[in-house]
Amino acid sequence: MDTPTIYDVSRLSGVSTATVSRAFTAPDRVREETRRKVLAAAEALGYQPSAIARAMARQQTDKIAFLICKKDATILDEFYASICEGVMRRANSTSYQLLISTAADWQRTGQSKQIEGVILAGDAEPSLISSFQRQGVAVVLVNHRASGFELPSVVADEQNGARQVIDHLTAYGHRRIALLAGRFSSYITSVRYNAFLTAMQEHGISVDDSGIVMCGRDVESATQASVELLRRPERPTAVFAFNDVLAAGVIKAATRLGLRVPDDVAVVGFDDSSSCTLLTPELSSVHVDCRRMGEICLEQLTALLSGDTEVPRLTVVPVSLRTRASSIRL
Amino acid sequence: MDTPTIYDVSRLSGVSTATVSRAFTAPDRVREETRRKVLAAAEALGYQPSAIARAMARQQTDKIAFLICKKDATILDEFYASICEGVMRRANSTSYQLLISTAADWQRTGQSKQIEGVILAGDAEPSLISSFQRQGVAVVLVNHRASGFELPSVVADEQNGARQVIDHLTAYGHRRIALLAGRFSSYITSVRYNAFLTAMQEHGISVDDSGIVMCGRDVESATQASVELLRRPERPTAVFAFNDVLAAGVIKAATRLGLRVPDDVAVVGFDDSSSCTLLTPELSSVHVDCRRMGEICLEQLTALLSGDTEVPRLTVVPVSLRTRASSIRL
DNA sequence: GTGAAAGCGCTAACAA
DNA sequence: TTGTTAGCGCTTTCAC
């Protein structure tokens, strides 16, 4: 037999379809007894309201999207996967359906997949943002800030993370601290960079350019750059890397050169990815609660969608340094 | 102004809504000239067919889901994230909308999110599978096999992977090869376990139970188990770990005991996750093309949905050992 | 090749 | 509190 409709329930329970509808969507507007009758009939029939018909009648889709805005081959790296997980978790306890994709794919094929809200992760193009806004789609940004737009951003407290690292390293007597930087999303790249400079300044350590090395975003590139860095006559006693992958490169370079970590050179990463505890020695890193960030995004998006005007323009999620063997001399 | 509907296009182009509809869904059933007129009008209006109204009229949702069936806190680990990526990639070039969730969340809240097909990743409960089948939802399994069901499974060639590893190790003269095993999904656990045994047999190496060690699925557990293993009087010269995380534990244990990898003990992992090249020494591992597996899943699901009856019951995706420093003596 | 019209299953005024 | 009814925007027979 076909799947039962609201008419079947109406007939079986002896009330109108409107009442059946109310029994499901506004239970308190139906007399207790009637509602029970309806629910019993629905149960007996195995009836489930059709999401599509509902969307049709209400003129809304109940759909939101999480779009990853980056160009790599790997779109779901650990960082974005964790944010995504947070979003999914929270989405599951709402009535919204979550679509996940990349910005590129969306623009290519996302037509006609009407959504009411979108979370843009990473380097969202202004044109993309405004195209959503033009369509009346609510937008929340994560790991990014867009000047000139009135919309909520969720970011990690990178400044504080860098400060904690430099505090930690200087406490162990390090003064010659190098930064190994790579090109990631424009936001992360500039913010982490500046956070490092600021933290160094706060400790009155001058950062001559030689203390900052740029490399690609893969280990191999980081390793090569680190080999050069660690070969310099004025070798840094500590290296702060932009993320854990680059930090792993520093450790590899040190090993290759016969230097010991942390005795000859201390290493600290960023993100506290799962690889930190796989490495030997274990890698100190700034823990970022990506899952939480994703959850916050979804909360703010639903707030926006329910007409809440009190949604904060910027949410900064705290971070905390996890110190491990790579930077602790016993 | 409101978003334009098919009526607006109909009016502007001077044809009926039926023709507008055909111009979009069955272009070849409309005269060339008429179609151009319609498309021009649509373009001018910025018209996009409403997916909801279409779903309503056609009585189908065009929605499919990717459900992760595992109990961990982390649902999107690198392995599943890669499969997921493959699925997403392919889904984006279809008209299907992809919902991603966990089996648990789905069962809790998945009501009324009607879907036409589902990809079940990992340990899918038989009851879940049959509940989908009862609803007429097409099912494809990945990294799992369900006896008693008539549905496509996509898995990696674990047997061959294990064989390649043992071939490789024996070629370097190893005979005392231990297995470090952990409890993962039931399918993976049993298949990898048996694949190891078979491969050892093929080389005429007897596997006394002492050569097989079980541990948890985290590094720390693997490290502890490995320390014990490597302390044994008859220390293995090589360890084959169930996955890369456990393999990292072996390396950590070796370092802790002052053993050199690969000189004192060779290590090989499974999955070829991104951490392999972060480790020192780099980890040899069996490369599994998860992305491809995801793509295949989606292809088979769409084939199923389009009524194709030629969908293979089982697809085995080839794997290949990536040898790196952890198992190569120079 | 094209048009008229009847739905698809539900919601939301408006009435009662 | 409950029922009547008119859509929501599109597809799809069935005529022409």
Side-chain angles (χ1 to χ4, degrees):
Chain A
M1 201 195 81
D2 277 337
T3 52
T5 73
I6 201 170
Y7 294 104
D8 300 314
V9 180
S10 159
R11 205 174 312 121
L12 181 59
S13 59
V15 301
S16 73
T17 59
T19 302
V20 176
S21 175
R22 288 190 203 102
F24 279 95
T25 58
D28 41 324
R29 295 182 48 201
V30 170
R31 207 189 339 142
E32 168 70 28
E33 189 194 328
T34 318
R35 187 183 9 159
R36 270 214 310 280
K37 226 167 34 181
V38 171
L39 262 28
E43 173 79 11
L45 258 31
Y47 166 79
Q48 297 231 325
S50 153
I52 298 171
R54 173 176 294 174
M56 180 83 188
R58 284 199 186 147
Q59 287 296 83
Q60 52 171 42
T61 61
D62 275 1
K63 277 189 294 211
I64 55 182
F66 178 76
L67 261 35
I68 299 168
C69 310
K70 58 185 283 213
K71 311 224 165 75
D72 303 30
T74 304
I75 52 181
L76 275 176
D77 57 28
E78 192 175 340
F79 193 81
Y80 283 97
S82 301
I83 295 177
C84 186
E85 234 186 85
V87 173
M88 282 170 49
R89 276 274 153 74
R90 272 287 186 291
N92 276 324
S93 59
T94 71
S95 62
Y96 289 104
Q97 294 184 18
L98 178 66
L99 302 178
I100 299 168
S101 187
T102 63
D105 283 332
W106 185 269
Q107 288 180 299
R108 217 164 25 73
T109 66
Q111 332 287 20
S112 83
K113 312 201 173 180
Q114 292 97 335
I115 53 173
E116 284 161 22
V118 65
I119 296 169
L120 264 20
D123 265 344
E125 308 263 351
S127 65
L128 181 65
I129 299 176
S130 51
S131 98
F132 277 122
Q133 292 197 321
R134 232 177 299 120
Q135 297 173 46
V137 174
V139 180
V140 171
L141 263 31
V142 59
N143 246 286
H144 190 59
R145 301 208 57 186
S147 54
F149 288 97
E150 292 274 317
L151 35 75
S153 281
V154 179
V155 300
D157 194 347
E158 311 271 343
Q159 283 76 9
N160 188 250
R163 186 176 304 121
Q164 288 183 48
V165 172
I166 305 303
D167 283 354
H168 166 66
L169 291 174
T170 51
Y172 276 87
H174 294 284
R175 300 289 293 178
R176 281 210 306 282
I177 304 171
L179 178 70
L180 181 61
R183 295 222 154 279
F184 298 93
S185 77
S186 64
Y187 174 77
I188 290 290
T189 305
S190 75
V191 169
R192 289 202 178 164
Y193 191 88
N194 290 321
F196 172 75
L197 294 185
T198 306
M200 291 288 272
Q201 269 173 9
E202 285 175 3
H203 280 275
I205 308 180
S206 82
V207 184
D208 38 2
D209 286 345
S210 63
I212 300 183
V213 177
M214 292 294 296
C215 66
R217 59 179 73 187
D218 57 311
V219 220
E220 193 41 45
S221 168
T223 308
Q224 282 171 14
S226 302
V227 165
E228 282 180 37
L229 175 66
L230 297 177
R231 268 202 188 125
R232 294 187 183 169
E234 283 282 280
R235 166 157 56 79
T237 62
V239 180
F240 179 21
F242 243 46
N243 74 8
D244 297 330
V245 171
L246 303 193
V250 180
I251 294 180
K252 289 177 76 173
T255 307
R256 204 174 284 180
L257 296 176
L259 298 172
R260 288 162 311 160
V261 176
D263 308 81
D264 298 318
V265 56
V267 183
V268 180
F270 213 113
D271 290 346
D272 192 30
S273 60
S274 62
S275 58
C276 287
T277 55
L278 302 188
L279 298 173
T280 315
E282 295 191 353
L283 181 64
S284 298
S285 188
V286 177
H287 180 77
V288 178
D289 195 346
C290 298
R291 186 102 128 253
R292 181 82 196 103
M293 289 173 71
E295 293 175 354
I296 293 174
C297 286
L298 200 101
E299 284 162 15
Q300 303 203 337
L301 190 60
T302 51
L304 240 35
L305 289 174
S306 61
D308 196 334
T309 55
E310 296 295 298
V311 183
R313 212 59 58 68
L314 178 67
T315 308
V316 179
V317 177
V319 302
S320 68
L321 174 64
R322 301 281 160 88
T323 54
R324 302 201 179 87
S326 72
S327 67
I328 302 184
R329 252 173 292 203
L330 297 177
Chain B
M1 202 195 83
D2 276 339
T3 52
T5 73
I6 200 170
Y7 294 104
D8 300 314
V9 179
S10 159
R11 205 172 313 122
L12 181 60
S13 59
V15 303
S16 72
T17 59
T19 302
V20 175
S21 173
R22 287 191 201 101
F24 279 94
T25 57
D28 41 324
R29 295 183 49 203
V30 170
R31 207 190 336 144
E32 167 71 26
E33 190 194 328
T34 318
R35 188 183 8 159
R36 269 214 311 281
K37 227 168 30 182
V38 170
L39 262 27
E43 173 79 12
L45 259 30
Y47 167 78
Q48 298 233 323
S50 152
I52 298 171
R54 173 174 295 173
M56 180 83 188
R58 286 201 185 143
Q59 287 296 82
Q60 51 172 37
T61 62
D62 275 0
K63 276 188 295 208
I64 56 182
F66 177 75
L67 298 185
I68 299 167
C69 311
K70 59 185 281 214
K71 309 221 167 77
D72 303 31
T74 305
I75 52 182
L76 275 176
D77 58 28
E78 192 174 339
F79 193 81
Y80 283 96
S82 301
I83 295 177
C84 186
E85 233 184 85
V87 173
M88 282 170 48
R89 276 275 152 75
R90 272 286 186 292
N92 275 324
S93 59
T94 70
S95 62
Y96 289 104
Q97 294 183 18
L98 178 66
L99 302 178
I100 300 168
S101 186
T102 63
D105 282 331
W106 185 269
Q107 289 179 299
R108 216 163 28 73
T109 67
Q111 331 286 18
S112 81
K113 313 202 174 183
Q114 293 99 334
I115 53 173
E116 283 160 22
V118 66
I119 296 168
L120 264 20
D123 266 343
E125 308 262 350
S127 65
L128 181 65
I129 299 176
S130 49
S131 98
F132 277 122
Q133 292 197 321
R134 232 176 300 121
Q135 297 171 47
V137 174
V139 180
V140 170
L141 262 31
V142 58
N143 245 285
H144 190 60
R145 301 208 55 185
S147 54
F149 288 97
E150 292 275 316
L151 36 75
S153 281
V154 178
V155 299
D157 194 348
E158 312 271 343
Q159 283 76 10
N160 187 252
R163 186 176 305 121
Q164 288 182 48
V165 171
I166 306 302
D167 284 353
H168 167 67
L169 291 174
T170 51
Y172 277 86
H174 293 285
R175 301 289 292 178
R176 283 209 307 283
I177 302 171
L179 179 71
L180 182 60
R183 296 220 154 280
F184 297 93
S185 77
S186 64
Y187 174 77
I188 290 291
T189 306
S190 75
V191 169
R192 289 202 178 163
Y193 191 88
N194 290 322
F196 172 75
L197 293 184
T198 307
M200 291 288 271
Q201 269 173 10
E202 283 175 4
H203 281 273
I205 306 179
S206 83
V207 183
D208 37 3
D209 286 347
S210 62
I212 299 183
V213 178
M214 292 294 297
C215 67
R217 60 179 73 183
D218 57 310
V219 220
E220 193 41 44
S221 168
T223 308
Q224 282 172 16
S226 302
V227 165
E228 283 180 36
L229 176 66
L230 296 177
R231 268 204 188 121
R232 292 186 184 169
E234 283 281 282
R235 168 158 55 79
T237 63
V239 181
F240 178 22
F242 244 45
N243 73 8
D244 298 329
V245 172
L246 304 193
V250 180
I251 294 180
K252 289 177 77 173
T255 308
R256 203 173 285 181
L257 296 176
L259 298 172
R260 288 162 311 162
V261 177
D263 308 81
D264 298 318
V265 54
V267 182
V268 180
F270 213 111
D271 291 346
D272 192 31
S273 59
S274 62
S275 58
C276 288
T277 55
L278 301 188
L279 298 173
T280 315
E282 294 191 355
L283 181 64
S284 298
S285 188
V286 178
H287 181 77
V288 178
D289 195 346
C290 298
R291 185 101 130 256
R292 181 84 196 101
M293 290 173 71
E295 293 175 354
I296 294 174
C297 286
L298 200 100
E299 284 162 14
Q300 302 203 339
L301 190 60
T302 51
L304 238 37
L305 289 174
S306 61
D308 195 334
T309 55
E310 295 295 299
V311 183
R313 211 59 58 69
L314 179 67
T315 307
V316 179
V317 177
V319 302
S320 69
L321 175 63
R322 301 281 160 89
T323 54
R324 301 200 179 87
S326 72
S327 67
I328 302 184
R329 252 174 292 205
L330 296 178

